[in-house]
mmCIF file of all heavy atoms in Angstrom:
data_model
loop_
_atom_site.group_PDB
_atom_site.id
_atom_site.type_symbol
_atom_site.label_atom_id
_atom_site.label_comp_id
_atom_site.label_asym_id
_atom_site.label_seq_id
_atom_site.Cartn_x
_atom_site.Cartn_y
_atom_site.Cartn_z
ATOM 1 N N PHE F 32 -11.892 28.087 2.192
ATOM 2 C CA PHE F 32 -13.008 27.301 2.713
ATOM 3 C C PHE F 32 -13.807 28.175 3.683
ATOM 4 O O PHE F 32 -13.299 28.586 4.718
ATOM 5 C CB PHE F 32 -12.459 26.057 3.416
ATOM 6 C CG PHE F 32 -13.468 25.282 4.226
ATOM 7 C CD1 PHE F 32 -14.793 25.158 3.814
ATOM 8 C CD2 PHE F 32 -13.084 24.648 5.407
ATOM 9 C CE1 PHE F 32 -15.711 24.445 4.559
ATOM 10 C CE2 PHE F 32 -13.996 23.925 6.161
ATOM 11 C CZ PHE F 32 -15.312 23.827 5.743
ATOM 12 N N SER F 33 -15.028 28.470 3.284
ATOM 13 C CA SER F 33 -15.920 29.288 4.118
ATOM 14 C C SER F 33 -17.226 28.534 4.247
ATOM 15 O O SER F 33 -18.019 28.499 3.312
ATOM 16 C CB SER F 33 -16.145 30.643 3.424
ATOM 17 O OG SER F 33 -17.018 31.442 4.179
ATOM 18 N N PRO F 34 -17.464 27.874 5.354
ATOM 19 C CA PRO F 34 -18.569 26.888 5.370
ATOM 20 C C PRO F 34 -19.984 27.448 5.279
ATOM 21 O O PRO F 34 -20.864 26.752 4.839
ATOM 22 C CB PRO F 34 -18.365 26.142 6.696
ATOM 23 C CG PRO F 34 -17.409 26.935 7.487
ATOM 24 C CD PRO F 34 -16.673 27.860 6.587
ATOM 25 N N PHE F 35 -20.244 28.690 5.700
ATOM 26 C CA PHE F 35 -21.597 29.268 5.791
ATOM 27 C C PHE F 35 -22.294 28.628 6.988
ATOM 28 O O PHE F 35 -23.033 27.662 6.870
ATOM 29 C CB PHE F 35 -22.381 29.023 4.501
ATOM 30 C CG PHE F 35 -23.537 29.977 4.311
ATOM 31 C CD1 PHE F 35 -23.347 31.343 4.396
ATOM 32 C CD2 PHE F 35 -24.809 29.537 4.024
ATOM 33 C CE1 PHE F 35 -24.403 32.238 4.214
ATOM 34 C CE2 PHE F 35 -25.877 30.412 3.834
ATOM 35 C CZ PHE F 35 -25.661 31.770 3.930
ATOM 36 N N ILE F 36 -22.026 29.198 8.147
ATOM 37 C CA ILE F 36 -22.316 28.471 9.383
ATOM 38 C C ILE F 36 -22.746 29.443 10.473
ATOM 39 O O ILE F 36 -22.128 30.494 10.650
ATOM 40 C CB ILE F 36 -21.053 27.669 9.766
ATOM 41 C CG1 ILE F 36 -21.302 26.676 10.868
ATOM 42 C CG2 ILE F 36 -19.872 28.571 10.100
ATOM 43 C CD1 ILE F 36 -20.193 25.625 10.972
ATOM 44 N N PHE F 37 -23.823 29.130 11.146
ATOM 45 C CA PHE F 37 -24.359 30.016 12.178
ATOM 46 C C PHE F 37 -24.616 29.241 13.481
ATOM 47 O O PHE F 37 -23.775 29.225 14.374
ATOM 48 C CB PHE F 37 -25.654 30.685 11.684
ATOM 49 C CG PHE F 37 -25.450 31.541 10.459
ATOM 50 C CD1 PHE F 37 -25.660 31.042 9.180
ATOM 51 C CD2 PHE F 37 -25.037 32.856 10.573
ATOM 52 C CE1 PHE F 37 -25.475 31.830 8.054
ATOM 53 C CE2 PHE F 37 -24.844 33.665 9.456
ATOM 54 C CZ PHE F 37 -25.057 33.143 8.204
ATOM 55 N N GLY F 38 -25.784 28.625 13.593
ATOM 56 C CA GLY F 38 -26.182 27.977 14.842
ATOM 57 C C GLY F 38 -25.194 26.927 15.322
ATOM 58 O O GLY F 38 -25.014 26.733 16.527
ATOM 59 N N PHE F 39 -24.562 26.247 14.384
ATOM 60 C CA PHE F 39 -23.564 25.238 14.739
ATOM 61 C C PHE F 39 -22.489 25.858 15.637
ATOM 62 O O PHE F 39 -22.022 25.214 16.587
ATOM 63 C CB PHE F 39 -22.927 24.689 13.455
ATOM 64 C CG PHE F 39 -21.905 23.606 13.663
ATOM 65 C CD1 PHE F 39 -22.234 22.272 13.490
ATOM 66 C CD2 PHE F 39 -20.593 23.915 14.014
ATOM 67 C CE1 PHE F 39 -21.279 21.273 13.666
ATOM 68 C CE2 PHE F 39 -19.638 22.928 14.194
ATOM 69 C CZ PHE F 39 -19.986 21.603 14.019
ATOM 70 N N CYS F 40 -22.121 27.111 15.337
ATOM 71 C CA CYS F 40 -21.029 27.764 16.083
ATOM 72 C C CYS F 40 -21.429 28.000 17.536
ATOM 73 O O CYS F 40 -20.616 27.809 18.459
ATOM 74 C CB CYS F 40 -20.657 29.091 15.428
ATOM 75 S SG CYS F 40 -20.105 28.918 13.739
ATOM 76 N N ALA F 41 -22.675 28.429 17.732
ATOM 77 C CA ALA F 41 -23.140 28.655 19.106
ATOM 78 C C ALA F 41 -23.063 27.355 19.888
ATOM 79 O O ALA F 41 -22.501 27.298 20.991
ATOM 80 C CB ALA F 41 -24.567 29.198 19.083
ATOM 81 N N LYS F 42 -23.613 26.315 19.294
ATOM 82 C CA LYS F 42 -23.616 25.002 19.957
ATOM 83 C C LYS F 42 -22.181 24.528 20.215
ATOM 84 O O LYS F 42 -21.883 23.951 21.255
ATOM 85 C CB LYS F 42 -24.358 24.023 19.036
ATOM 86 C CG LYS F 42 -24.824 22.768 19.700
ATOM 87 C CD LYS F 42 -25.861 22.078 18.846
ATOM 88 C CE LYS F 42 -26.068 20.654 19.322
ATOM 89 N NZ LYS F 42 -25.385 19.664 18.514
ATOM 90 N N ASN F 43 -21.330 24.821 19.256
ATOM 91 C CA ASN F 43 -19.934 24.376 19.329
ATOM 92 C C ASN F 43 -19.212 24.934 20.551
ATOM 93 O O ASN F 43 -18.293 24.307 21.074
ATOM 94 C CB ASN F 43 -19.206 24.804 18.042
ATOM 95 C CG ASN F 43 -17.807 24.243 17.947
ATOM 96 O OD1 ASN F 43 -17.588 23.064 18.205
ATOM 97 N ND2 ASN F 43 -16.845 25.072 17.590
ATOM 98 N N VAL F 44 -19.619 26.137 20.971
ATOM 99 C CA VAL F 44 -18.953 26.729 22.142
ATOM 100 C C VAL F 44 -19.849 26.688 23.380
ATOM 101 O O VAL F 44 -19.605 27.398 24.360
ATOM 102 C CB VAL F 44 -18.467 28.177 21.852
ATOM 103 C CG1 VAL F 44 -17.470 28.201 20.711
ATOM 104 C CG2 VAL F 44 -19.641 29.101 21.557
ATOM 105 N N GLY F 45 -20.879 25.869 23.335
ATOM 106 C CA GLY F 45 -21.697 25.648 24.526
ATOM 107 C C GLY F 45 -22.786 26.674 24.769
ATOM 108 O O GLY F 45 -23.235 26.847 25.898
ATOM 109 N N LEU F 46 -23.225 27.345 23.713
ATOM 110 C CA LEU F 46 -24.284 28.349 23.854
ATOM 111 C C LEU F 46 -25.553 27.888 23.151
ATOM 112 O O LEU F 46 -25.484 27.076 22.222
ATOM 113 C CB LEU F 46 -23.827 29.674 23.222
ATOM 114 C CG LEU F 46 -22.620 30.363 23.868
ATOM 115 C CD1 LEU F 46 -22.150 31.518 22.994
ATOM 116 C CD2 LEU F 46 -22.954 30.853 25.264
ATOM 117 N N PRO F 47 -26.702 28.413 23.575
ATOM 118 C CA PRO F 47 -27.932 28.088 22.843
ATOM 119 C C PRO F 47 -27.845 28.614 21.402
ATOM 120 O O PRO F 47 -27.211 29.640 21.154
ATOM 121 C CB PRO F 47 -29.029 28.839 23.604
ATOM 122 C CG PRO F 47 -28.420 29.254 24.897
ATOM 123 C CD PRO F 47 -26.941 29.312 24.711
ATOM 124 N N VAL F 48 -28.499 27.924 20.491
ATOM 125 C CA VAL F 48 -28.473 28.309 19.071
ATOM 126 C C VAL F 48 -28.946 29.752 18.876
ATOM 127 O O VAL F 48 -28.402 30.501 18.062
ATOM 128 C CB VAL F 48 -29.354 27.334 18.257
ATOM 129 C CG1 VAL F 48 -29.585 27.844 16.839
ATOM 130 C CG2 VAL F 48 -28.702 25.959 18.223
ATOM 131 N N SER F 49 -29.936 30.173 19.679
ATOM 132 C CA SER F 49 -30.495 31.519 19.516
ATOM 133 C C SER F 49 -29.434 32.606 19.719
ATOM 134 O O SER F 49 -29.563 33.708 19.171
ATOM 135 C CB SER F 49 -31.648 31.740 20.495
ATOM 136 O OG SER F 49 -31.173 31.608 21.822
ATOM 137 N N THR F 50 -28.396 32.299 20.478
ATOM 138 C CA THR F 50 -27.360 33.296 20.782
ATOM 139 C C THR F 50 -26.764 33.893 19.523
ATOM 140 O O THR F 50 -26.433 35.077 19.476
ATOM 141 C CB THR F 50 -26.213 32.630 21.584
ATOM 142 O OG1 THR F 50 -26.777 31.884 22.644
ATOM 143 C CG2 THR F 50 -25.256 33.675 22.130
ATOM 144 N N VAL F 51 -26.634 33.078 18.505
ATOM 145 C CA VAL F 51 -25.962 33.527 17.290
ATOM 146 C C VAL F 51 -26.791 34.608 16.582
ATOM 147 O O VAL F 51 -26.263 35.349 15.759
ATOM 148 C CB VAL F 51 -25.629 32.314 16.392
ATOM 149 C CG1 VAL F 51 -26.767 31.944 15.479
ATOM 150 C CG2 VAL F 51 -24.342 32.522 15.622
ATOM 151 N N TYR F 52 -28.076 34.695 16.921
ATOM 152 C CA TYR F 52 -28.951 35.684 16.295
ATOM 153 C C TYR F 52 -29.308 36.854 17.224
ATOM 154 O O TYR F 52 -29.707 37.902 16.758
ATOM 155 C CB TYR F 52 -30.250 35.014 15.831
ATOM 156 C CG TYR F 52 -29.985 33.874 14.887
ATOM 157 C CD1 TYR F 52 -30.137 32.555 15.292
ATOM 158 C CD2 TYR F 52 -29.527 34.124 13.591
ATOM 159 C CE1 TYR F 52 -29.860 31.502 14.430
ATOM 160 C CE2 TYR F 52 -29.249 33.077 12.723
ATOM 161 C CZ TYR F 52 -29.410 31.770 13.154
ATOM 162 O OH TYR F 52 -29.129 30.731 12.302
ATOM 163 N N GLU F 53 -29.199 36.646 18.542
ATOM 164 C CA GLU F 53 -29.690 37.707 19.429
ATOM 165 C C GLU F 53 -28.619 38.343 20.304
ATOM 166 O O GLU F 53 -28.920 39.301 21.013
ATOM 167 C CB GLU F 53 -30.864 37.205 20.288
ATOM 168 C CG GLU F 53 -30.577 36.003 21.149
ATOM 169 C CD GLU F 53 -31.839 35.461 21.839
ATOM 170 O OE1 GLU F 53 -32.914 36.073 21.710
ATOM 171 O OE2 GLU F 53 -31.727 34.417 22.497
ATOM 172 N N ASP F 54 -27.401 37.857 20.235
ATOM 173 C CA ASP F 54 -26.325 38.463 21.030
ATOM 174 C C ASP F 54 -25.109 38.636 20.120
ATOM 175 O O ASP F 54 -24.395 37.665 19.830
ATOM 176 C CB ASP F 54 -26.005 37.566 22.229
ATOM 177 C CG ASP F 54 -24.990 38.212 23.172
ATOM 178 O OD1 ASP F 54 -24.019 38.836 22.667
ATOM 179 O OD2 ASP F 54 -25.150 38.085 24.399
ATOM 180 N N ALA F 55 -24.889 39.874 19.678
ATOM 181 C CA ALA F 55 -23.857 40.115 18.668
ATOM 182 C C ALA F 55 -22.470 39.654 19.125
ATOM 183 O O ALA F 55 -21.743 39.000 18.377
ATOM 184 C CB ALA F 55 -23.821 41.603 18.324
ATOM 185 N N GLU F 56 -22.136 39.995 20.350
ATOM 186 C CA GLU F 56 -20.781 39.681 20.819
ATOM 187 C C GLU F 56 -20.567 38.168 20.934
ATOM 188 O O GLU F 56 -19.567 37.626 20.459
ATOM 189 C CB GLU F 56 -20.552 40.370 22.171
ATOM 190 C CG GLU F 56 -19.085 40.421 22.525
ATOM 191 C CD GLU F 56 -18.801 41.402 23.661
ATOM 192 O OE1 GLU F 56 -19.537 42.402 23.797
ATOM 193 O OE2 GLU F 56 -17.856 41.154 24.405
ATOM 194 N N LYS F 57 -21.525 37.512 21.563
ATOM 195 C CA LYS F 57 -21.395 36.053 21.717
ATOM 196 C C LYS F 57 -21.410 35.371 20.356
ATOM 197 O O LYS F 57 -20.711 34.384 20.125
ATOM 198 C CB LYS F 57 -22.512 35.509 22.613
ATOM 199 C CG LYS F 57 -22.293 35.844 24.082
ATOM 200 C CD LYS F 57 -23.432 35.327 24.934
ATOM 201 C CE LYS F 57 -23.188 35.708 26.401
ATOM 202 N NZ LYS F 57 -24.371 35.465 27.216
ATOM 203 N N SER F 58 -22.242 35.880 19.449
ATOM 204 C CA SER F 58 -22.320 35.315 18.102
ATOM 205 C C SER F 58 -20.972 35.453 17.396
ATOM 206 O O SER F 58 -20.453 34.488 16.811
ATOM 207 C CB SER F 58 -23.404 36.056 17.305
ATOM 208 O OG SER F 58 -23.451 35.606 15.977
ATOM 209 N N PHE F 59 -20.412 36.643 17.484
ATOM 210 C CA PHE F 59 -19.147 36.912 16.798
ATOM 211 C C PHE F 59 -18.045 35.982 17.305
ATOM 212 O O PHE F 59 -17.344 35.328 16.517
ATOM 213 C CB PHE F 59 -18.747 38.382 17.027
ATOM 214 C CG PHE F 59 -17.503 38.793 16.304
ATOM 215 C CD1 PHE F 59 -17.553 39.196 14.978
ATOM 216 C CD2 PHE F 59 -16.266 38.769 16.941
ATOM 217 C CE1 PHE F 59 -16.402 39.574 14.298
ATOM 218 C CE2 PHE F 59 -15.108 39.146 16.265
ATOM 219 C CZ PHE F 59 -15.181 39.553 14.940
ATOM 220 N N PHE F 60 -17.934 35.885 18.626
ATOM 221 C CA PHE F 60 -16.829 35.067 19.168
ATOM 222 C C PHE F 60 -17.089 33.567 19.005
ATOM 223 O O PHE F 60 -16.155 32.788 18.843
ATOM 224 C CB PHE F 60 -16.533 35.461 20.615
ATOM 225 C CG PHE F 60 -15.834 36.792 20.685
ATOM 226 C CD1 PHE F 60 -16.491 37.922 21.146
ATOM 227 C CD2 PHE F 60 -14.527 36.932 20.227
ATOM 228 C CE1 PHE F 60 -15.852 39.161 21.164
ATOM 229 C CE2 PHE F 60 -13.889 38.170 20.237
ATOM 230 C CZ PHE F 60 -14.547 39.285 20.706
#
Side-chain angles (χ1 to χ4, degrees):
Chain F
F32 169 36
S33 179
F35 201 52
I36 191 164
F37 299 94
F39 182 100
C40 300
K42 198 164 165 259
N43 187 46
V44 300
L46 296 170
V48 169
S49 61
T50 312
V51 87
Y52 303 107
E53 58 187 356
D54 186 319
E56 196 165 330
K57 286 178 181 169
S58 176
F59 183 84
F60 287 108

